[in-house]
Amino acid sequence: MTQHVFAPWNDPGEKPLIQFRNVTKRFGDFTAIDDLTQDIYEKEFFALLGPSGCGKTTMMRMLAGFERPSSGQIFIAGQDMARIPPNKRAVNMMFQSYALFPHLSVWDNIAFGLKREGKDKDIIAARVEEMLRLTRLTKFAKRKPHQISGGQRQRVALARSLAKAPKLLLLDEPLGALDKKLRQDTQFELMDIQEKTGTTFVIVTHDQEEAMTVASRVAVMDEGRIIQVATPAQIYEAPNSVYVADFIGDVNIISGRAKPTGDKVVTQWAEGQPDIIGTTTTEFDPGQEIHFAIRPEKVAISTEEPQDAANKLQGKVLDIAYLGNISTYHVELPTGHVIKAQTANTRRLSRRQITWEDPVWISFTDTAGVLLER
Amino acid sequence: MRRFILIAVPYLWLVALFLIPFVIVLKISLSDVALARPPYFPQLDLSAGWEGLTSFFSALDFENFWFLTTDDLYWKAYLSSLQIALTSTVMTLLVGYPIAYAMARAAPEWRPTLLMLVILPFWTSFLIRVYAWMGILSNEGLLNQFLLWLGVINEPLTILNTNIAVYIGIVYTYLPFMILPIYSALERMDDSLLEAAEDLGCSRLSAFWLVTVPLSKNGIIAGCFLVFIPTIGEFVIPSLLGGSGTLMIGKVLWEEFFSNRDWPVASAVAVILLLILVIPIILFQRNEQKQREAEG
Ligand SMILES: Nc1ncnc2c1ncn2[C@@H]1O[C@H](COP(=O)(O)OP(=O)(O)OP(=O)(O)O)[C@@H](O)[C@H]1O
Ligand SMILES: [Mg+2]
C-alpha cells in the first residue's frame, strides 16, 4: 500500500470547491483585491498569510457573501455565487471581531445557527454541549459574552461557526487571543475536526508557525494579490520571491549579478569577495540582477576555516541572540553585510566557544540557498 | 464629606422640587373647600402654637378621596387617560421606530443633521405648534383643503375636536422622546452582528427580529415610558385638539381647579394621578438599573 499524499491541486481531474476567477474588489478608488484567480480544493486547510490590510478579510467576506466582487466571479462547488445571499450559502464564518450576540448567553450564541435550521431540541442541545466541551466552555455556558474573557469569547465565536458543521468554514484569525498552549491544542483540534468532518477550512492568520502547522497550502498575499501558493514546506524552502522569503521566517538576502556556469549559477555580489555558488532550475541571463536567499539555520559558523564547503566567507561576530534551544549569530562581513547564522545549542552556555568580536568563518553548501529574480 | 455632598445634591433637588410640593398638594387634598383666599380650610396657624397644630390636623380628612369614588366621572377619566396614553404610546412607537432605524442606518455624516431635525421642533413654543395643528386639522384646514383638491373626499372630514386629533397631537409632540432613545440604542449596535446572524442562516427579516429588536429593547422601553408618563396627565393637547367627548384626567383636574375652584378635590385628583404614575416610573427605574447592570 502506498502512502496517499493529499495534493488535489496537482491532480488535473480534481474539481476545485472554491474558484476565484479574475476577482477584483474595489472600495471607491482603492483596490482591495486585484485580479485574483485561485482554486481551493475540498478538504483543504488553506491558510492566508500577509501583512495587515492586504485583503485577507475582504477575500473571506466575498466567500461568505457580505461583499460582492467588483468584477470577476466566485464559484463554490461549481455554482456561481453572485446572486446567493449569505444565509443561503453552506459557508460559516468566524468573524475577526467575533460578532457575538450580546443579548444571548454563550449557550444560545452557539445554538443560534442550529435553531435557524429548525432542528429537534434534543439534537441542538447535544450539539451545543459537544461544541462547549470541544472549546472547553462548559462552565461558561450560562454567561453573557461581556462576562467572559477575550480568549473565551474567541472560543465562543469558534464554537458558533463550527456548530453547523458547514461545508466550508472561514476562520478570520481564530486563535489570535489564545495563549500559546491553548492555541496549539486548538490547532490540533481544528485539524482533527477537519479530518473527521472533511470540512474545507480557509484560515487567516498572522502567525506563520500556525499556518505552517495546520495548513495544507499557504497563500502569501500582498496588496490584494496572492504572491505564492504552495505547501508550507515549499513556501519555506522554495519561496518564489524575496517578498515571500522575507515574510516567512528569517532569511539572509544577498543581491548581485548572475553568471551562469553549467548547472550552477554564480552570484557576483561584492568586489574582492568570493562569488556565491548556488543551484537553480531557472534560467538566468548573464549579468541579470539576482538575489541569493538563505535561511540562517543553513549557515554554519566556525572559528577555523572549513575545508570542503562550496561557499565560505570570513567575518566578525556582531551580536548573539540566545533563544534557549538555538542561538543566532549576527556576523558582519568586511563589506558591511550582516549574515545571520543559527546553531542548535547542544552544549551548555558556559561551554560556548564563539563570543562577541570573534573572527569567524561562515559557510554553506551550493544547494542550501535559493536564487530569486525578484 | 465630598461623597456626602455628591449624594446630597440630587436629594436636595428631589426634596425641593418633588417632596415639598407633593406634601403641599397632599395637605390641600385633605382639606375642605372654603370661600376664602386661598379657597380651602384649615390653614396652618403657627402663631397659635401647639393648639393651632392639633386643631389643624384634626380638621384634615379623606373626604375628597371618598368623593372621587362617588362620581364615576373620575374613574372614567382615569381609565380613558390610561387608554389614550397606551394607544398613543403604541402609535408613537410604530411611527418612531422606523424613523430611528433609518437614522441609525443613514451615512454617518448625515446623522448629526437628522438628529438636529428631530430636535428642531423644540425650538418653537409647544403651544404655537398645537395651534398650528388646529389650523391643519380643522374643517377648513390645510389637510381638508388638500384632500378636497385631490378629489379624495367630497366633503371635509371632521378631525379636529375628536380623539383622532388628540392622538395626532400626542404622537407629533412626543415623537422625539421615542426616537432619541431608540436611535441611541440602534446606533451603538455593531453591524457585524447582523452579518453573523445572516451567516448563521437568518433572512434579513429574521435577523431584524432576533438581533436588532432585542438589542434595541432598552431603547424601546425607555422611549415608551418617556411618552406614556407625561401623556397620562396631558392637558393642553386634549383641551385644544380634543372635543367634548375627549375625557382625560388632566382636563378634569384643570376644570376642578379653575372652573369649580375646588382646590381640595383637584388636589385629590392630582394625588391619585401621581400614585398611578409612580408604578410605571418605578418600572422605568428598574429597567434603567437592569440595563446598567447588564452593561457592567
Ligand atoms: N468597507 C470598506 N471600505 C473601504 N475600504 C475597505 C473596506 N473594507 C476594507 N477596506 C480596505 O481594504 C483593504 C483590505 O482590508 P482587509 O480587511 O481585507 O485587510 P486584512 O488583510 O484582513 O487586514 P488585517 O490583517 O489587518 O485584518 C484595507 O486597506 C482596508 O482599508
Ligand atoms: Mg482582517
Short mmCIF file of all heavy atoms in Angstrom, two decimals, chain A residues 61 64 66 86-87 89 91-93 95 97 99-103 109 112-113 116 146 160-161 164, chain B residues 190 192-204 206-207 210-211 214-215 293-296:
data_model
loop_
_atom_site.label_atom_id
_atom_site.label_comp_id
_atom_site.label_asym_id
_atom_site.label_seq_id
_atom_site.Cartn_x
_atom_site.Cartn_y
_atom_site.Cartn_z
N ARG A 61 -14.81 37.72 3.23
CA ARG A 61 -16.15 38.31 3.21
C ARG A 61 -16.82 38.09 1.85
O ARG A 61 -18.04 37.97 1.78
CB ARG A 61 -16.08 39.80 3.54
CG ARG A 61 -15.77 40.06 5.03
CD ARG A 61 -15.55 41.52 5.31
NE ARG A 61 -16.69 42.33 4.92
CZ ARG A 61 -17.79 42.45 5.65
NH1 ARG A 61 -17.88 41.84 6.80
NH2 ARG A 61 -18.79 43.18 5.23
N ALA A 64 -18.10 34.55 2.04
CA ALA A 64 -19.28 34.42 2.91
C ALA A 64 -20.49 35.12 2.31
O ALA A 64 -21.61 34.84 2.69
CB ALA A 64 -18.97 34.99 4.30
N PHE A 66 -20.76 38.68 2.03
CA PHE A 66 -21.01 40.02 2.56
C PHE A 66 -20.51 41.11 1.64
O PHE A 66 -20.88 42.26 1.76
CB PHE A 66 -20.37 40.19 3.93
CG PHE A 66 -20.88 39.21 4.93
CD1 PHE A 66 -20.01 38.41 5.65
CD2 PHE A 66 -22.24 39.08 5.14
CE1 PHE A 66 -20.49 37.49 6.55
CE2 PHE A 66 -22.73 38.16 6.04
CZ PHE A 66 -21.85 37.37 6.75
N PRO A 86 -25.88 35.48 1.89
CA PRO A 86 -25.07 34.75 2.89
C PRO A 86 -25.83 33.61 3.57
O PRO A 86 -25.23 32.57 3.85
CB PRO A 86 -24.72 35.83 3.92
CG PRO A 86 -24.88 37.12 3.22
CD PRO A 86 -25.89 36.92 2.14
N ASN A 87 -27.13 33.81 3.83
CA ASN A 87 -27.86 32.77 4.58
C ASN A 87 -28.19 31.56 3.73
O ASN A 87 -28.66 30.56 4.24
CB ASN A 87 -29.12 33.36 5.22
CG ASN A 87 -30.03 34.01 4.21
OD1 ASN A 87 -29.57 34.57 3.22
ND2 ASN A 87 -31.32 33.94 4.42
N ARG A 89 -25.80 30.17 1.79
CA ARG A 89 -24.53 29.52 1.45
C ARG A 89 -24.15 28.52 2.53
O ARG A 89 -24.33 28.81 3.72
CB ARG A 89 -23.42 30.57 1.33
CG ARG A 89 -23.71 31.61 0.28
CD ARG A 89 -22.52 32.53 0.11
NE ARG A 89 -22.84 33.53 -0.92
CZ ARG A 89 -21.94 34.26 -1.56
NH1 ARG A 89 -20.66 34.12 -1.27
NH2 ARG A 89 -22.30 35.12 -2.48
N VAL A 91 -21.74 28.02 4.05
CA VAL A 91 -20.47 28.58 4.48
C VAL A 91 -20.70 29.23 5.83
O VAL A 91 -21.70 29.92 6.02
CB VAL A 91 -20.02 29.67 3.49
CG1 VAL A 91 -18.75 30.34 3.96
CG2 VAL A 91 -19.85 29.10 2.10
N ASN A 92 -19.82 29.00 6.77
CA ASN A 92 -19.90 29.75 8.02
C ASN A 92 -18.59 30.46 8.25
O ASN A 92 -17.53 30.01 7.84
CB ASN A 92 -20.21 28.84 9.21
CG ASN A 92 -21.69 28.51 9.29
OD1 ASN A 92 -22.08 27.44 9.68
ND2 ASN A 92 -22.53 29.45 8.86
N MET A 93 -18.71 31.61 8.90
CA MET A 93 -17.53 32.45 9.08
C MET A 93 -17.35 32.77 10.54
O MET A 93 -18.31 33.03 11.26
CB MET A 93 -17.74 33.75 8.29
CG MET A 93 -16.65 34.76 8.49
SD MET A 93 -16.55 35.81 7.05
CE MET A 93 -15.46 37.07 7.63
N PHE A 95 -15.89 35.59 12.71
CA PHE A 95 -15.52 36.98 12.46
C PHE A 95 -14.28 37.37 13.26
O PHE A 95 -14.09 36.94 14.39
CB PHE A 95 -16.68 37.90 12.83
CG PHE A 95 -17.82 37.81 11.87
CD1 PHE A 95 -18.65 36.71 11.88
CD2 PHE A 95 -18.05 38.81 10.95
CE1 PHE A 95 -19.70 36.61 10.99
CE2 PHE A 95 -19.10 38.73 10.06
CZ PHE A 95 -19.93 37.62 10.08
N SER A 97 -13.85 40.15 14.55
CA SER A 97 -14.30 40.87 15.74
C SER A 97 -15.23 40.01 16.60
O SER A 97 -15.88 40.52 17.49
CB SER A 97 -15.02 42.14 15.31
OG SER A 97 -16.16 41.79 14.54
N ALA A 99 -18.15 39.15 16.76
CA ALA A 99 -19.57 39.41 16.50
C ALA A 99 -20.49 38.48 17.29
O ALA A 99 -21.42 37.90 16.75
CB ALA A 99 -19.87 39.31 14.99
N LEU A 100 -20.23 38.34 18.57
CA LEU A 100 -21.12 37.54 19.42
C LEU A 100 -22.36 38.37 19.73
O LEU A 100 -22.27 39.58 19.87
CB LEU A 100 -20.42 37.14 20.71
CG LEU A 100 -19.16 36.31 20.54
CD1 LEU A 100 -18.54 36.02 21.90
CD2 LEU A 100 -19.47 35.01 19.82
N PHE A 101 -23.51 37.69 19.87
CA PHE A 101 -24.74 38.41 20.19
C PHE A 101 -24.72 38.77 21.67
O PHE A 101 -24.77 37.88 22.52
CB PHE A 101 -25.95 37.55 19.86
CG PHE A 101 -25.98 37.13 18.42
CD1 PHE A 101 -25.98 35.80 18.06
CD2 PHE A 101 -25.95 38.08 17.41
CE1 PHE A 101 -25.98 35.41 16.73
CE2 PHE A 101 -25.95 37.71 16.07
CZ PHE A 101 -25.97 36.37 15.74
N PRO A 102 -24.67 40.06 22.00
CA PRO A 102 -24.50 40.44 23.41
C PRO A 102 -25.71 40.10 24.26
O PRO A 102 -25.57 39.95 25.48
CB PRO A 102 -24.28 41.96 23.35
CG PRO A 102 -24.75 42.39 22.02
CD PRO A 102 -24.67 41.22 21.10
N HIS A 103 -26.89 39.94 23.65
CA HIS A 103 -28.09 39.69 24.45
C HIS A 103 -28.31 38.21 24.71
O HIS A 103 -29.24 37.84 25.40
CB HIS A 103 -29.31 40.32 23.78
CG HIS A 103 -29.56 39.80 22.39
ND1 HIS A 103 -28.66 39.97 21.36
CD2 HIS A 103 -30.59 39.09 21.87
CE1 HIS A 103 -29.14 39.40 20.26
NE2 HIS A 103 -30.31 38.86 20.55
N ASN A 109 -25.75 31.61 21.95
CA ASN A 109 -24.94 32.05 20.82
C ASN A 109 -24.56 30.85 19.96
O ASN A 109 -24.66 30.90 18.73
CB ASN A 109 -23.67 32.74 21.31
CG ASN A 109 -23.79 34.25 21.28
OD1 ASN A 109 -23.74 34.86 20.23
ND2 ASN A 109 -23.99 34.85 22.45
N PHE A 112 -27.51 29.37 18.08
CA PHE A 112 -28.23 30.28 17.18
C PHE A 112 -28.41 29.70 15.77
O PHE A 112 -29.52 29.65 15.25
CB PHE A 112 -27.48 31.62 17.11
CG PHE A 112 -28.26 32.71 16.45
CD1 PHE A 112 -29.09 33.53 17.19
CD2 PHE A 112 -28.17 32.94 15.09
CE1 PHE A 112 -29.81 34.55 16.59
CE2 PHE A 112 -28.89 33.95 14.48
CZ PHE A 112 -29.71 34.75 15.24
N GLY A 113 -27.31 29.27 15.18
CA GLY A 113 -27.38 28.76 13.81
C GLY A 113 -28.18 27.47 13.72
O GLY A 113 -28.93 27.25 12.76
N ARG A 116 -31.91 28.00 13.70
CA ARG A 116 -32.43 28.50 12.42
C ARG A 116 -32.71 27.37 11.46
O ARG A 116 -33.50 27.49 10.55
CB ARG A 116 -31.46 29.49 11.78
CG ARG A 116 -31.09 30.66 12.64
CD ARG A 116 -32.21 31.66 12.78
NE ARG A 116 -33.19 31.35 13.79
CZ ARG A 116 -32.99 31.44 15.11
NH1 ARG A 116 -31.84 31.82 15.59
NH2 ARG A 116 -33.94 31.14 15.95
N HIS A 146 -20.25 39.52 27.59
CA HIS A 146 -19.43 40.53 28.28
C HIS A 146 -18.95 40.04 29.64
O HIS A 146 -18.19 40.74 30.31
CB HIS A 146 -20.21 41.84 28.43
CG HIS A 146 -21.40 41.75 29.33
ND1 HIS A 146 -21.30 41.94 30.68
CD2 HIS A 146 -22.69 41.46 29.08
CE1 HIS A 146 -22.50 41.77 31.22
NE2 HIS A 146 -23.36 41.48 30.25
N ARG A 160 -19.39 28.68 17.69
CA ARG A 160 -20.60 29.05 16.97
C ARG A 160 -20.47 28.76 15.48
O ARG A 160 -21.40 28.30 14.84
CB ARG A 160 -20.90 30.54 17.20
CG ARG A 160 -22.25 30.96 16.69
CD ARG A 160 -22.53 32.41 16.96
NE ARG A 160 -21.63 33.28 16.21
CZ ARG A 160 -21.67 34.61 16.24
NH1 ARG A 160 -22.54 35.20 17.02
NH2 ARG A 160 -20.84 35.32 15.53
N SER A 161 -19.27 29.04 14.93
CA SER A 161 -19.11 28.81 13.50
C SER A 161 -18.95 27.33 13.18
O SER A 161 -19.29 26.89 12.09
CB SER A 161 -17.91 29.62 12.97
OG SER A 161 -16.73 29.18 13.59
N LYS A 164 -22.62 24.36 13.05
CA LYS A 164 -23.47 23.91 11.95
C LYS A 164 -22.77 22.92 11.03
O LYS A 164 -23.36 22.47 10.06
CB LYS A 164 -23.95 25.11 11.13
CG LYS A 164 -25.06 25.87 11.81
CD LYS A 164 -25.54 27.02 10.97
CE LYS A 164 -26.54 26.60 9.93
NZ LYS A 164 -27.07 27.76 9.20
N ASP B 190 -23.48 46.92 16.58
CA ASP B 190 -22.42 46.57 15.65
C ASP B 190 -23.04 45.88 14.43
O ASP B 190 -23.75 44.91 14.57
CB ASP B 190 -21.46 45.63 16.40
CG ASP B 190 -20.26 45.27 15.56
OD1 ASP B 190 -20.18 45.74 14.41
OD2 ASP B 190 -19.42 44.52 16.06
N SER B 192 -21.74 44.03 12.31
CA SER B 192 -21.28 42.67 12.05
C SER B 192 -22.18 41.64 12.75
O SER B 192 -22.18 40.47 12.38
CB SER B 192 -19.82 42.50 12.47
OG SER B 192 -19.70 42.62 13.86
N LEU B 193 -22.96 42.09 13.75
CA LEU B 193 -23.91 41.17 14.39
C LEU B 193 -24.96 40.70 13.39
O LEU B 193 -25.35 39.53 13.38
CB LEU B 193 -24.58 41.84 15.58
CG LEU B 193 -23.67 42.18 16.75
CD1 LEU B 193 -24.46 42.89 17.83
CD2 LEU B 193 -23.04 40.92 17.30
N LEU B 194 -25.42 41.62 12.56
CA LEU B 194 -26.41 41.26 11.56
C LEU B 194 -25.79 40.33 10.53
O LEU B 194 -26.42 39.37 10.07
CB LEU B 194 -26.96 42.51 10.87
CG LEU B 194 -27.83 43.39 11.76
CD1 LEU B 194 -28.28 44.62 11.01
CD2 LEU B 194 -29.03 42.60 12.25
N GLU B 195 -24.54 40.60 10.18
CA GLU B 195 -23.85 39.72 9.24
C GLU B 195 -23.71 38.33 9.83
O GLU B 195 -23.92 37.32 9.16
CB GLU B 195 -22.48 40.29 8.88
CG GLU B 195 -22.58 41.54 8.03
CD GLU B 195 -21.22 42.05 7.60
OE1 GLU B 195 -20.21 41.63 8.19
OE2 GLU B 195 -21.18 42.86 6.65
N ALA B 196 -23.35 38.29 11.12
CA ALA B 196 -23.20 36.98 11.77
C ALA B 196 -24.53 36.24 11.76
O ALA B 196 -24.57 35.04 11.49
CB ALA B 196 -22.71 37.17 13.20
N ALA B 197 -25.63 36.97 12.02
CA ALA B 197 -26.94 36.32 12.02
C ALA B 197 -27.27 35.77 10.64
O ALA B 197 -27.75 34.64 10.51
CB ALA B 197 -28.01 37.31 12.47
N GLU B 198 -26.98 36.56 9.62
CA GLU B 198 -27.25 36.08 8.25
C GLU B 198 -26.36 34.89 7.91
O GLU B 198 -26.79 33.93 7.28
CB GLU B 198 -26.99 37.21 7.25
CG GLU B 198 -28.14 38.17 7.14
CD GLU B 198 -27.88 39.18 6.04
OE1 GLU B 198 -27.78 38.78 4.87
OE2 GLU B 198 -27.74 40.37 6.36
N ASP B 199 -25.11 34.98 8.36
CA ASP B 199 -24.17 33.90 8.11
C ASP B 199 -24.68 32.60 8.71
O ASP B 199 -24.45 31.52 8.19
CB ASP B 199 -22.81 34.27 8.72
CG ASP B 199 -21.73 33.30 8.31
OD1 ASP B 199 -21.44 33.24 7.10
OD2 ASP B 199 -21.19 32.61 9.19
N LEU B 200 -25.37 32.72 9.85
CA LEU B 200 -25.85 31.53 10.54
C LEU B 200 -27.23 31.10 10.07
O LEU B 200 -27.87 30.27 10.69
CB LEU B 200 -25.86 31.77 12.05
CG LEU B 200 -24.45 31.92 12.66
CD1 LEU B 200 -24.51 32.53 14.03
CD2 LEU B 200 -23.74 30.59 12.70
N GLY B 201 -27.71 31.72 8.99
CA GLY B 201 -28.92 31.20 8.36
C GLY B 201 -30.16 32.06 8.50
O GLY B 201 -31.24 31.63 8.12
N CYS B 202 -30.04 33.27 9.04
CA CYS B 202 -31.20 34.14 9.17
C CYS B 202 -31.44 34.88 7.86
O CYS B 202 -30.50 35.30 7.21
CB CYS B 202 -30.96 35.21 10.23
SG CYS B 202 -31.19 34.66 11.89
N SER B 203 -32.72 35.10 7.54
CA SER B 203 -33.01 36.05 6.47
C SER B 203 -32.86 37.44 7.07
O SER B 203 -32.75 37.59 8.29
CB SER B 203 -34.43 35.84 5.95
OG SER B 203 -35.33 36.09 7.00
N ARG B 204 -32.90 38.46 6.21
CA ARG B 204 -32.80 39.83 6.71
C ARG B 204 -33.84 40.10 7.78
O ARG B 204 -33.56 40.68 8.83
CB ARG B 204 -33.01 40.82 5.57
CG ARG B 204 -31.85 40.93 4.62
CD ARG B 204 -30.89 42.03 5.06
NE ARG B 204 -29.61 41.90 4.37
CZ ARG B 204 -29.32 42.49 3.22
NH1 ARG B 204 -30.21 43.27 2.66
NH2 ARG B 204 -28.16 42.32 2.66
N SER B 206 -35.63 37.96 9.71
CA SER B 206 -35.50 37.27 11.00
C SER B 206 -34.28 37.78 11.75
O SER B 206 -34.28 37.80 12.99
CB SER B 206 -35.46 35.75 10.82
OG SER B 206 -34.39 35.37 10.02
N ALA B 207 -33.26 38.24 11.03
CA ALA B 207 -32.12 38.86 11.73
C ALA B 207 -32.59 40.12 12.46
O ALA B 207 -32.16 40.41 13.57
CB ALA B 207 -31.01 39.20 10.74
N LEU B 210 -34.54 38.89 15.55
CA LEU B 210 -33.76 38.13 16.54
C LEU B 210 -32.57 38.91 17.08
O LEU B 210 -32.03 38.57 18.13
CB LEU B 210 -33.25 36.82 15.92
CG LEU B 210 -34.35 35.80 15.62
CD1 LEU B 210 -33.84 34.68 14.74
CD2 LEU B 210 -34.91 35.25 16.93
N VAL B 211 -32.13 39.92 16.36
CA VAL B 211 -30.94 40.66 16.81
C VAL B 211 -31.26 42.14 17.04
O VAL B 211 -31.07 42.65 18.14
CB VAL B 211 -29.78 40.49 15.80
CG1 VAL B 211 -28.58 41.28 16.26
CG2 VAL B 211 -29.43 39.02 15.65
N PRO B 214 -34.19 42.80 19.89
CA PRO B 214 -33.73 42.58 21.27
C PRO B 214 -32.66 43.58 21.70
O PRO B 214 -32.65 44.02 22.85
CB PRO B 214 -33.14 41.17 21.24
CG PRO B 214 -33.73 40.51 20.07
CD PRO B 214 -34.06 41.57 19.08
N LEU B 215 -31.79 43.96 20.77
CA LEU B 215 -30.72 44.86 21.16
C LEU B 215 -31.20 46.30 21.32
O LEU B 215 -30.52 47.12 21.94
CB LEU B 215 -29.56 44.81 20.16
CG LEU B 215 -28.71 43.55 20.29
CD1 LEU B 215 -27.63 43.52 19.24
CD2 LEU B 215 -28.09 43.46 21.67
N GLU B 293 -26.68 47.41 34.98
CA GLU B 293 -26.02 46.20 35.47
C GLU B 293 -25.57 45.32 34.31
O GLU B 293 -24.46 44.79 34.32
CB GLU B 293 -26.97 45.41 36.37
CG GLU B 293 -26.95 45.90 37.80
CD GLU B 293 -28.13 45.38 38.59
OE1 GLU B 293 -28.76 44.41 38.14
OE2 GLU B 293 -28.40 45.95 39.65
N ALA B 294 -26.42 45.20 33.30
CA ALA B 294 -26.09 44.34 32.17
C ALA B 294 -24.87 44.86 31.44
O ALA B 294 -24.05 44.10 30.93
CB ALA B 294 -27.29 44.28 31.22
N GLU B 295 -24.74 46.19 31.40
CA GLU B 295 -23.58 46.74 30.71
C GLU B 295 -22.35 46.69 31.59
O GLU B 295 -21.24 46.93 31.13
CB GLU B 295 -23.87 48.18 30.28
CG GLU B 295 -24.66 48.21 28.98
CD GLU B 295 -25.28 49.55 28.71
OE1 GLU B 295 -24.97 50.52 29.42
OE2 GLU B 295 -26.09 49.63 27.78
N GLY B 296 -22.55 46.39 32.84
CA GLY B 296 -21.42 46.21 33.78
C GLY B 296 -20.60 47.44 33.88
O GLY B 296 -19.42 47.45 33.66
#
